Every structure is written in C-alpha cells, then in structure tokens.
Amino acid sequence: MSSERSTLITARPPGLVDVLDRILDKGLVIAGDIKVSLANVELLTLQIRLLVCSIDKAEQIGLNWWRYDTNLTTRAERAEAENVELRLRLNELEQEIRNLAAANVAAANRGTTEVVTTRRTTRKGKAKRRDI
C-alpha cells in the first residue's frame, strides 16, 4: 500500500461542518418532477427546484430576488416613511385649524361679522347660496 493511499484511509471523514461549508461555498442544486397520472391522463405535475448556497454565491450567480420581495423585506422602513408623511400632514392641518381659529377670534374682537358663503346643491342640480 502506498503512503498516499494510507493517509487517505487513515484521514478522518469530513464532518457535518465541513460538508455544509463545501455545499454553501460551491452550491447544491436539487431538481425533480413529480407527475400524478390516472389512465394515462396527467392530473398533476409538481416541478421542484431547490438551490442551496450561501448568499454571496447566490449573488455571484445573479440571484438576489429576496432583496425585492415585499414579503421578505422589512416593512419597518416603509412604515416609518409613511408615519413621517402622516405626521407632516397632521401638523399642516393643525396649523391650518389654528390659523382659522385665530382669524375667527380676530374678527370677533373687531366686532365685525364675516359672512361665510357656502354652496349647497339641490336635487335639481342647481346651487343655492346660503349665508351663515
């Protein structure tokens, strides 16, 4: 027996960590089809494709769908942006209410009555003016 062969035989078998490291580094593809037929009529076909690799390897071969999948990406960023937008809009509306209230108080202090004109649509589609 040669010394090279004896070292291969006496070397310890690869452990689970070594196997997983090699699979994640190189990648592993499992593909299969399952067909269910009855009386030569195909009822169901399942195509199974499984790729096991590291994220770095997947990006290297052009797979990065998880970055754009809305079910997998964090929704916190979108929710925070929506919250900021809603807070700004709420502040604008509160400021507008304060301005209207201040205008009403100023008008009441001056002792004048301002006429607010509104339009109300009747059933015939004509507009009636009503002064409040």
Side-chain angles (χ1 to χ4, degrees):
M1 202 182 262
S2 69
S3 64
E4 182 180 321
R5 190 173 221 189
S6 65
T7 51
L8 289 176
I9 293 173
T10 59
R12 66 177 180 88
L16 181 62
V17 174
D18 297 329
V19 172
L20 283 176
D21 184 46
R22 190 169 299 150
I23 287 173
L24 292 177
D25 184 44
K26 300 292 183 187
L28 171 71
V29 176
I30 300 172
D33 295 332
I34 300 172
K35 294 182 180 183
V36 178
S37 300
L38 180 64
N40 289 334
V41 176
E42 191 173 309
L43 300 174
L44 178 68
T45 299
L46 297 175
Q47 293 182 339
I48 299 170
R49 307 291 183 259
L50 175 66
L51 171 65
V52 179
C53 64
S54 67
I55 290 176
D56 294 334
K57 183 67 175 179
E59 287 179 338
Q60 188 179 33
I61 61 175
L63 295 174
N64 59 356
W65 51 265
W66 59 86
R67 291 184 184 222
Y68 308 107
D69 190 345
T70 57
N71 294 321
L72 297 175
T73 57
T74 58
R75 295 182 180 151
E77 293 172 0
R78 282 184 279 149
E80 183 61 31
E82 185 179 2
N83 283 342
V84 168
E85 181 182 337
L86 289 173
R87 283 187 198 112
L88 289 173
R89 185 157 184 221
L90 180 63
N91 288 338
E92 290 172 1
L93 291 172
E94 287 175 343
Q95 185 62 39
E96 190 174 334
I97 289 171
R98 280 189 222 104
N99 291 343
L100 290 173
N104 284 339
V105 168
N109 287 342
R110 285 193 306 258
T112 60
T113 58
E114 294 185 11
V115 177
V116 178
T117 306
T118 61
R119 289 188 175 217
R120 185 176 66 179
T121 306
T122 62
R123 289 184 189 181
K124 294 180 184 177
K126 297 179 181 176
K128 279 187 176 178
R129 290 191 84 146
R130 187 176 76 179
D131 294 335
I132 301 175

